[in-house]
Amino acid sequence: MVYTGPGDVTLGRSRSRSHSSHGSRTPSLHQPGLSRRSSLSAGHPQGLKQVDTSKIGVPIVTPRKERPGHVRSLTGSYFPAQKGVVTMEDEWPIGDEKTWKTALKDMEFDHEDEQKVANTVVRHVTTSLARQAYNIDAIAAYQATALSVRDRLLERWNETALHHTKKAPKRIYYLSIEWLIGRSLDNAVLNLGMRNTYENATQKLGFNFEDLLNEERDAGLGNGGLGRLAACYIDSMATLNIPGWGYGLRYNYGIFKQLISSTGEQLEAPDPWLDRENPWEIARLDVAYPIRFYGRVENIPNSDKAVWSGGMECLAVAYDTPIPGFNTKNCANIRLWSAKPVQGFDLNSFNAGNYEASVAASSEVENITRVLYPNDNMYAGKKLRIMQQYLWVSGSLQDILRRFTKLDLPWTALPDYVCIQMNDTHPTLAIPELMRILIDEEELSYETAWKITTKVFAYTNHTVLPEALERWQLDLFETLLPRHLQIIYRINYDFMQAVAKRWPGDMDRMRRMSIIEEGTPKYVRMAYLAIVGSFKVNGVAELHSQLLQATIFRDFVEFKGRDFFTNVTNGITPRRWLLQCNPQLAALITHTLGNDHWLTHLKTLKQLLPMSENEEFRKAFTSIKMENKQRLADLVEAELGITLDIESIFMTQIKRLHEYKRQTLNLFAVIYRYLRIKKASPEERKKITKHTAIFAGKAAPGYYVAKLVIRLINNVARVVNNDPDVGDLLKVVFIPDYSVSIAEVLVPASDVSVQISTAGTEASGTSNMKLALNGALLLGTVDGANVEIAEDAGEDQSFLFGHLTEQVEGVRFTNSYQPTPLEQRSSELAEVFKAIESGTFGEGNTYEPLLKTVYEHDYYLVSNDFGSYLAAEKLMDECYANNRTEWTKKSILTAFNMGDFSSDRSVQDYADGIWSVEPCEVPNGDNL
């Protein structure tokens, strides 16, 4: 449903379509005339048509044979010559072929030619930015360099789109509400193989390339591991030549910019990451789809079809970000949607003096994509979240289906050409939306539409916490998406019938499995809808997948069968998380192996395991680690005024703040260490291993307890870092506004990876993988991907502690129903709490709600695991202080056993086990 002008042609050719063929999709909800007549003819009485006001807001359904094709705007939209096979006719599509090809040939140059690269940068300085050598600054130099690199990306992007259009492979569409892609310049030039060329070219132009990299802002498109995983996967899809795109939302302000107040509290400010023009995105203003909210539904008698009309209409407008593969010409794409009003301004209201009303509708629409994760502690926030999710999945589906219809195949062939992977439950509305399109717009029966839908979607679950499974109040659907609620009711009715047939009379089971959660108010359980509407469900670590099947989805395992559920352990891209963030270690690996094959075959690192016994290699490895620690120390001193001793153990816990991730456990251990240092004599202090505790992460604006943890971390840091009795024995650092770019500095500098979630609560984790790949030893619980990391690295290289998953429920029961005083559970933690309550780190009563979570119930077992954590820390300290050679060996063995944790392996697992898709590599010379 892309807006195009009248008389639309594709590649210079028009083609009529019969009613039986599924033509290219056009707006059926709202179709404004986009080719305005001249003002003269428009003002002439003969140019006026009588407006039937009764039809306003009623969807216009254009007969399929009359639907115009989409003007190809680099989206692979060619008409096929025969069904299912796309061929490109011999004649040149437009204009003079020789002129075109000469111009294209003139654009080509040797990518190692520094002068040619400099030429393209200067061209953008003078033409794109209207600057010159006399008035260019670092920001402009970055912009010009980025635009030059983007030109190279678009060359590959065009070739990939053309090749995939020719071959018509099955395509993968990855739907993620977050895309935490970080900065793009360094990653792009590395994947293009042009890093040195651009570095030298910009240096000759008078700029330091590292300074240009620092001018780029992190894209405000994500918050945590969910978005970073998606970014790694799209990188791997491009690298593995998997034909696929990502879809998300283009947030104006991201989640928020984290500031820290003078009292240590987290403050949230807007993150205006788009204030500067984003050179990496391509605005597709011609790719805009109609989106409807509210309205009424009229069911068509003797039919599954219904007409959804009225309400509020807006547009989902596309913005593309090319993602290059490494060592391949293939280039993937992330298409992000921005909400725009159909008409942005009410002139009548403005002329009447009602200025606020003149832009009210426009503001409501634009709020949809203004901020990532609006606070949903209130009804308005919940409503906005659903509007975000629907605009995203509707725009994405309309785009996907438009591309499919170019193949001129029946709708039953859709699963052979399209697979949609839902990254968590946020995109689940895509299931009823596809049903709506197939039934209401394409006039398929409900049964046929359901067979198609359940072969298209796959669902990745990212949590084992029942309270974290997304659910929305039913009245929100009644108001915003009335047609989708009808479809969900029908899906649930049929599903409940099947459950009742399998287990007659088991009402409790039906209540547990129902997509609609009964009660006051009623809720729609999005995870259950995702399971029922998908053909495969996967967890993201072996332990996580086992727990899903044994706990929250046990009923569905019994209904669907164990084969319906599978595991794909998460992974990270080694191109960013080793080559880019730790170039010295990457160079050492490449030099020792004799090639860089490991960048796309990470298991090759195992060949380096014997180097742990090589003294020269250990020295080089240690030297790189110390340089990375110094780089971080310099940054911390410059930005935060805290001086760090690089001989201390850098213990890093970098992740969003949540009780189950237990930053509290780490922090309380820091306080206990501080109290121990204060009590120690000068001689005893000489035996204490130096520690630097590094925290980073954001708390959700409405998560009061998590924000209290941040406040306490900062106040502990203020006291500890300024206590002369402590000196360099202990430092505490909270790095504000954590981002991908900050992680790229923290990860290579870390000695210890702190991964201490309560057993059975963390789905996987990926910071553990990044840190381990860079040689940080694991201090963690037996949870998430820690299990597989410890197995691969060897448990001798890890410091594991805490209750096991199977013990957790029993301990929780005891804490709640047979409680014992904190002093009995952990005398060490009781001492810590007394220090906090006495005002050592500020007013003690401030932290009462935080401490209460441990005093009462202690759901996340902080007190129960505290002693075990201290014991694991002691073993770690002894190894670091007494046998640095053994520590380095452990670090090398950990890093080079991480081959299984590449996102390339993860994506290949998806491709083989879920997507059933083959690579479609762009050959050299595949261009116009």
Side-chain angles (χ1 to χ4, degrees):
M1 297 184 185
V2 180
Y3 291 155
T4 55
D8 177 28
V9 294
T10 301
L11 291 183
R13 299 180 298 277
S14 63
R15 173 173 175 160
S16 62
R17 307 178 68 91
S18 66
H19 186 275
S20 60
S21 66
H22 299 302
S24 56
R25 300 174 53 75
T26 56
S28 60
L29 301 183
H30 177 77
Q31 190 172 0
L34 297 184
S35 61
R36 297 183 60 189
R37 306 177 66 182
S38 71
S39 57
L40 256 174
S41 64
H44 195 277
Q46 293 179 345
L48 297 176
K49 290 181 65 177
Q50 186 67 35
V51 176
D52 183 354
T53 56
S54 66
K55 299 297 183 183
I56 293 175
V58 177
I60 301 169
V61 180
T62 307
R64 207 170 282 120
K65 65 182 179 180
E66 296 178 12
R67 296 184 180 184
H70 169 57
V71 173
R72 181 177 184 268
S73 59
L74 305 179
T75 53
S77 308
Y78 293 93
F79 279 132
Q82 53 183 297
K83 292 186 177 182
V85 179
V86 179
T87 60
M88 313 305 265
E89 291 82 345
D90 291 335
E91 78 267 17
W92 189 253
I94 188 170
D96 178 60
E97 180 176 359
K98 182 179 178 181
T99 302
W100 271 93
K101 289 192 172 180
T102 301
L104 289 169
K105 188 71 176 176
D106 190 58
M107 293 170 61
E108 297 176 4
F109 64 85
D110 181 358
H111 286 187
E112 295 183 3
D113 189 327
E114 294 170 7
Q115 183 59 54
K116 293 286 189 181
V117 167
N119 292 350
T120 65
V121 175
V122 171
R123 177 171 59 82
H124 281 294
V125 168
T126 57
T127 60
S128 302
L129 304 179
R131 299 282 191 102
Q132 50 188 317
Y134 299 100
N135 66 346
I136 185 172
D137 54 15
I139 294 175
Y142 156 72
Q143 290 276 356
T145 304
L147 289 169
S148 170
V149 175
R150 192 185 76 167
D151 289 345
R152 310 286 76 78
L153 294 183
L154 290 178
E155 291 169 1
R156 296 191 179 195
W157 199 96
N158 282 326
E159 292 177 29
T160 303
L162 179 62
H163 184 67
H164 288 173
T165 298
K166 287 180 180 178
K167 297 297 182 182
K170 183 176 185 179
R171 302 186 191 225
I172 305 308
Y173 298 104
Y174 197 85
L175 269 59
S176 180
I177 196 80
E178 295 185 37
W179 290 94
L180 200 61
I181 57 178
R183 294 173 176 172
S184 295
L185 178 54
D186 203 16
N187 186 69
V189 293
L190 284 169
N191 278 15
L192 288 169
M194 299 181 70
R195 210 318 181 147
N196 292 337
T197 311
Y198 268 96
E199 186 169 5
N200 294 335
T202 52
Q203 184 177 19
K204 289 178 179 178
L205 292 173
F207 294 95
N208 182 296
F209 193 69
E210 293 294 331
D211 292 339
L212 301 187
L213 296 179
N214 288 330
E215 290 297 331
E216 182 176 358
R217 290 183 175 178
D218 277 48
L221 300 171
N223 177 42
L226 187 78
R228 187 54 237 169
L229 182 74
C232 285
Y233 281 2
I234 199 72
D235 178 279
S236 288
M237 287 168 68
T239 299
L240 296 173
N241 305 311
I242 302 295
W245 278 20
Y247 282 98
L249 289 171
R250 181 179 180 267
Y251 306 103
N252 292 46
Y253 292 100
I255 184 164
F256 60 82
K257 182 176 180 64
Q258 184 188 53
L259 304 174
I260 302 300
S261 73
S262 58
T263 57
E265 296 172 88
Q266 171 183 288
L267 302 177
E268 298 92 28
D271 176 19
W273 74 282
L274 286 173
D275 273 7
R276 299 180 193 168
E277 183 181 356
N278 178 12
W280 302 105
E281 69 178 10
I282 302 99
R284 301 291 191 200
L285 303 183
D286 61 322
V287 183
Y289 296 100
I291 309 295
R292 183 182 300 280
F293 296 102
Y294 310 108
R296 58 190 178 275
V297 178
E298 180 185 351
N299 294 298
I300 307 300
N302 304 316
S303 165
D304 294 323
K305 184 179 176 180
V307 176
W308 179 26
S309 61
M312 181 183 81
E313 297 170 7
C314 63
L315 300 177
V317 178
Y319 289 77
D320 288 344
T321 302
I323 305 295
F326 181 82
N327 200 26
T328 176
K329 293 187 75 174
N330 281 56
C331 189
N333 185 52
I334 302 174
R335 175 156 283 181
L336 304 173
W337 302 107
S338 182
K340 304 291 184 185
V342 175
Q343 292 183 327
F345 183 64
D346 183 352
L347 185 60
N348 289 333
S349 294
F350 187 87
N351 287 339
N354 195 347
Y355 305 131
E356 290 184 4
S358 69
V359 294
S362 172
S363 297
E364 182 178 6
V365 169
E366 291 175 349
N367 281 339
I368 296 174
T369 51
R370 202 175 297 279
V371 176
L372 167 65
Y373 295 145
N375 189 346
D376 64 354
N377 284 354
M378 61 198 82
Y379 187 85
K382 293 179 172 67
K383 175 181 166 185
L384 189 54
R385 285 233 192 160
I386 289 187
M387 294 177 80
Q388 280 188 340
Q389 292 180 9
Y390 179 63
L391 179 132
W392 162 44
V393 301
S394 181
S396 301
L397 275 174
Q398 292 180 66
D399 199 48
I400 291 165
L401 296 181
R402 176 195 55 75
R403 197 169 294 114
F404 170 75
T405 57
K406 297 296 181 182
L407 298 176
D408 206 16
L409 292 167
W411 285 109
T412 51
L414 184 67
D416 297 328
Y417 289 86
V418 170
C419 179
I420 298 174
Q421 185 70 43
M422 300 186 293
N423 191 27
D424 215 343
T425 54
H426 308 111
T428 305
L429 277 171
I431 292 171
E433 172 66 0
L434 179 56
M435 291 290 289
R436 184 194 67 79
I437 292 172
L438 293 178
I439 296 169
D440 295 352
E441 297 184 15
E442 302 304 333
E443 301 181 359
L444 273 61
S445 68
Y446 178 92
E447 290 73 17
T448 302
W450 185 241
K451 286 178 182 177
I452 294 169
T453 298
T454 52
K455 293 177 182 177
V456 166
F457 291 99
Y459 159 51
T460 299
N461 172 274
H462 286 279
T463 184
V464 291
L465 303 177
E467 64 272 19
L469 291 176
E470 193 177 35
R471 60 178 193 153
W472 297 110
Q473 286 179 218
L474 191 138
D475 62 340
L476 285 168
F477 283 85
E478 286 179 329
T479 303
L480 289 170
L481 303 169
R483 176 57 176 148
H484 296 76
L485 183 58
Q486 286 185 345
I487 293 170
I488 292 169
Y489 274 140
R490 173 69 185 272
I491 292 170
N492 193 49
Y493 176 80
D494 290 351
F495 178 58
M496 288 291 96
Q497 291 289 99
V499 172
K501 185 176 180 181
R502 183 88 172 269
W503 292 283
D506 193 342
M507 300 304 295
D508 188 55
R509 181 183 293 270
M510 292 181 67
R511 178 189 57 77
R512 294 197 309 266
M513 296 181 72
S514 175
I515 296 169
I516 307 297
E517 180 182 329
E518 300 296 336
T520 306
K522 295 181 178 180
Y523 289 91
V524 178
R525 295 162 162 164
M526 304 306 285
Y528 292 7
L529 178 58
I531 294 172
V532 174
S534 297
F535 67 86
K536 187 71 82 172
V537 175
N538 73 280
V540 291
E542 286 287 354
L543 177 61
H544 171 237
S545 295
Q546 293 169 11
L547 288 171
L548 285 182
Q549 296 179 46
T551 57
I552 58 176
F553 294 154
R554 180 176 178 178
D555 289 328
F556 291 92
V557 173
E558 294 176 0
F559 180 79
K560 294 273 192 179
R562 197 165 293 277
D563 290 344
F564 181 81
F565 294 84
T566 189
N567 175 66
V568 179
T569 298
N570 285 345
I572 58 172
T573 169
R575 273 80 62 183
R576 183 178 289 266
W577 294 111
L578 191 44
L579 176 63
Q580 182 177 331
C581 77
N582 200 346
Q584 290 175 293
L585 181 56
L588 177 64
I589 293 168
T590 298
H591 174 76
T592 308
L593 288 173
N595 58 66
D596 64 358
H597 186 66
W598 61 274
L599 284 166
T600 50
H601 298 81
L602 197 60
K603 290 185 180 181
T604 308
L605 293 183
K606 274 188 173 291
Q607 296 175 21
L608 295 175
L609 292 177
M611 300 308 293
S612 65
E613 300 298 328
N614 183 297
E615 184 177 355
E616 291 302 314
F617 188 90
R618 288 200 304 269
K619 285 182 179 178
F621 189 92
T622 301
S623 175
I624 291 168
K625 176 64 74 174
M626 297 305 287
E627 287 184 32
N628 286 325
K629 292 174 73 172
Q630 187 62 58
R631 179 173 64 144
L632 174 60
D634 291 343
L635 182 66
V636 168
E637 185 165 18
E639 297 290 331
L640 303 176
I642 302 171
T643 302
L644 304 183
D645 184 351
I646 64 170
E647 290 295 330
S648 65
I649 302 181
F650 279 22
M651 297 181 58
T652 304
Q653 189 176 21
I654 44 177
K655 50 187 76 238
R656 64 185 173 88
L657 274 288
H658 198 289
E659 288 169 272
Y660 83 83
K661 293 180 183 289
R662 298 203 296 190
Q663 283 91 349
T664 48
L665 185 61
N666 185 2
L667 177 59
F668 294 153
V670 168
I671 296 173
Y672 182 74
R673 180 175 290 268
Y674 170 69
L675 298 175
R676 192 157 60 89
I677 292 170
K678 293 289 287 181
K679 290 178 183 177
S681 67
E683 285 302 311
E684 290 172 329
R685 287 175 185 170
K686 291 179 182 178
K687 300 177 183 178
I688 296 176
T689 305
K690 295 178 181 179
H691 269 218
T692 296
I694 301 169
F695 298 86
K698 296 179 180 180
Y703 196 165
Y704 180 66
V705 170
K707 293 174 78 170
L708 271 183
V709 175
I710 291 176
R711 183 172 182 174
L712 183 56
I713 292 171
N714 283 301
N715 284 314
V716 168
R718 177 178 50 80
V719 172
V720 170
N721 297 342
N722 293 289
D723 192 326
D725 292 339
V726 176
D728 289 337
L729 287 177
L730 179 62
K731 295 290 183 182
V732 183
V733 180
F734 183 87
I735 298 179
D737 209 33
Y738 181 54
S739 65
V740 174
S741 297
I742 291 174
E744 289 169 5
V745 179
L746 286 173
V747 165
S750 300
D751 294 307
V752 175
S753 169
V754 181
Q755 310 291 334
I756 54 178
S757 53
T758 309
T761 61
E762 183 70 83
S764 171
T766 50
S767 66
N768 47 8
M769 301 171 189
K770 296 159 194 163
L771 289 158
L773 182 61
N774 285 270
L777 303 189
L778 173 63
L779 172 62
T781 49
V782 184
D783 194 31
N786 291 357
V787 178
E788 292 158 80
I789 289 173
E791 287 175 353
D792 285 15
E795 290 192 15
D796 289 343
Q797 276 62 258
S798 306
F799 303 95
L800 302 178
F801 73 95
H803 287 84
L804 302 178
T805 301
E806 57 268 25
Q807 300 170 325
V808 168
E809 281 304 317
V811 177
R812 280 177 176 161
F813 181 87
T814 300
N815 286 348
S816 294
Y817 299 104
Q818 299 170 3
T820 55
L822 179 61
E823 181 73 36
Q824 293 182 26
R825 281 179 274 156
S826 173
S827 58
E828 299 92 345
L829 188 58
E831 183 182 350
V832 169
F833 277 27
K834 286 176 184 176
I836 296 171
E837 291 167 331
S838 69
T840 304
F841 309 104
E843 294 184 14
N845 59 359
T846 299
Y847 305 106
E848 184 179 343
L850 171 61
L851 304 186
K852 190 176 180 181
T853 65
V854 179
Y855 277 130
E856 300 177 6
H857 308 303
D858 195 4
Y859 186 80
Y860 294 106
L861 278 63
V862 174
S863 61
N864 309 98
D865 281 348
F866 192 66
S868 179
Y869 179 76
L870 294 178
E873 260 197 359
K874 184 179 180 182
L875 290 174
M876 181 190 73
D877 286 354
E878 290 172 355
C879 181
Y880 189 83
N882 302 329
N883 198 336
R884 196 67 66 87
T885 298
E886 185 64 25
W887 182 277
T888 303
K889 288 181 181 180
K890 289 177 181 289
S891 184
I892 291 170
L893 292 173
T894 295
F896 298 153
N897 271 306
M898 290 299 104
D900 260 341
F901 298 97
S902 168
S903 53
D904 296 346
R905 188 271 314 151
S906 301
V907 167
Q908 194 62 59
D909 285 353
Y910 276 105
D912 295 340
I914 297 177
W915 300 339
S916 300
V917 65
E918 296 292 332
C920 189
E921 184 174 2
V922 177
N924 287 324
D926 192 350
N927 52 42
L928 289 173

